[in-house]
Amino acid sequence: MDDRYSSREQTSEINQLIQSAPFFNGLPDEIIEKATCHVVTRNHPPNQVILLENDWGGSVYFILDGWVKIRTYNLDGKEVTLNIIGKGEIFGEMAALDEVPRSTDVITLTPTKISSIPSQDFIELIHAEPMAGVRLAQLMATRLRQVNRRLRLREADSMSRVADTLLFLAEGQGKARNEGTEIPNLPHRELSSLSGLARETVTRVLTKLEKKNLIAREQDVLRIPDVAALERIIS
């Protein structure tokens, strides 16, 4: 894809990035302008590799639309999904900060639009604007808290683990509607990898949750009518 833009196109892409990414909310205009002066925006189809483990971190990425999964592999070579993130989320920041190779793969799950800024511009932003550093610390704290929560549930029953996975996705990217909170109706293999359960088990649990009216599934959307009710079934 040709990444060369006219001035007007570049301004439009920067505005979309700023509006989509909570990371930039409230930062001074001159700081944002400097940090985004080399932004590049690309559209990606589903199942496209954005980053590979052990790649060097030359950029930091912001999702403007769509969903990606963060994956690695265990000692047996089995794929493990660590996270699924969507619009407004950031990835690639750890390699930029540490100046070490990437520790995970990033793969698109849906048609996805992503902006990237050079790692050096991101580092300069963190050094220049204290609030940017606070936002980054809050992001890392949130992800650590999510990991801790999921680890605590590793020994729970399958119903609790699937419910927690759905709540995890709703917390990160759920959209509030009149009928409840909506998340993408992801393939069962992705929910399987994220929850650490067999695909067949995930399918069986989702069917049970649907019969209990705790979820409703459509072609592209999974709806949680009452988040509190789903939370109550976690043992």
Side-chain angles (χ1 to χ4, degrees):
M1 178 178 176
D2 191 346
D3 296 320
R4 292 170 297 178
Y5 293 93
S6 68
S7 177
R8 181 177 297 178
E9 289 172 325
Q10 183 80 351
T11 299
S12 175
E13 298 293 359
I14 291 173
N15 288 339
Q16 186 177 5
L17 167 60
I18 295 167
Q19 292 166 9
S20 300
F23 182 85
F24 291 105
N25 287 349
L27 299 187
D29 291 342
E30 63 273 14
I31 294 291
I32 294 176
E33 183 177 353
K34 184 176 180 180
T36 59
C37 64
H38 301 120
V39 66
V40 173
T41 300
R42 295 185 176 96
N43 291 291
H44 303 274
N47 303 312
Q48 185 170 75
V49 176
I50 306 300
L51 298 176
L52 281 173
E53 187 173 351
N54 294 321
D55 283 350
W56 283 93
S59 298
V60 176
Y61 301 83
F62 296 83
I63 303 174
L64 305 189
D65 196 24
W67 289 76
V68 305
K69 68 175 177 180
I70 314 297
R71 76 174 182 193
T72 188
Y73 293 89
N74 63 20
L75 295 177
D76 297 324
K78 181 181 178 181
E79 179 180 317
V80 178
T81 298
L82 300 176
N83 204 348
I84 293 176
I85 59 177
K87 182 177 179 178
E89 295 272 11
I90 178 177
F91 64 91
E93 76 288 347
M94 289 180 61
L97 291 171
D98 290 346
E99 297 184 347
V100 295
R102 311 275 184 192
S103 58
T104 57
D105 300 338
V106 180
I107 318 291
T108 59
L109 291 174
T110 63
T112 306
K113 189 173 187 177
I114 299 174
S115 283
S116 63
I117 64 176
S119 295
Q120 187 58 42
D121 290 353
F122 183 77
I123 298 300
E124 289 178 2
L125 168 64
I126 300 300
H127 283 298
E129 177 52 47
M131 183 53 65
V134 171
R135 295 267 170 79
L136 185 60
Q138 290 171 333
L139 170 67
M140 292 182 171
T142 297
R143 290 182 178 171
L144 180 59
R145 188 165 55 248
Q146 290 170 338
V147 169
N148 288 339
R149 173 180 170 178
R150 291 172 60 201
L151 287 175
R152 287 198 303 270
L153 284 165
R154 279 294 172 175
E155 302 303 320
D157 61 86
S158 58
M159 182 78 76
S160 295
R161 289 166 68 176
V162 172
D164 182 68
T165 299
L166 299 179
L167 290 167
F168 168 73
L169 294 172
E171 179 184 350
Q173 290 294 322
K175 296 180 179 179
R177 307 295 189 200
N178 291 334
E179 302 82 7
T181 300
E182 293 182 353
I183 61 175
N185 190 14
L186 297 171
H188 292 186
R189 67 177 180 274
E190 304 299 347
L191 296 177
S192 167
S193 184
L194 195 56
S195 64
L197 296 166
R199 188 186 310 182
E200 295 78 8
T201 302
V202 170
T203 299
R204 184 169 62 251
V205 170
L206 289 174
T207 299
K208 289 180 180 179
L209 292 173
E210 197 164 27
K211 288 180 178 178
K212 293 175 180 289
N213 295 319
L214 291 170
I215 65 170
R217 288 181 288 177
E218 301 172 10
Q219 182 174 357
D220 298 320
V221 171
L222 186 150
R223 181 165 26 87
I224 304 173
D226 186 345
V227 168
L230 188 60
E231 287 176 337
R232 285 194 292 270
I233 74 167
I234 297 178
S235 57

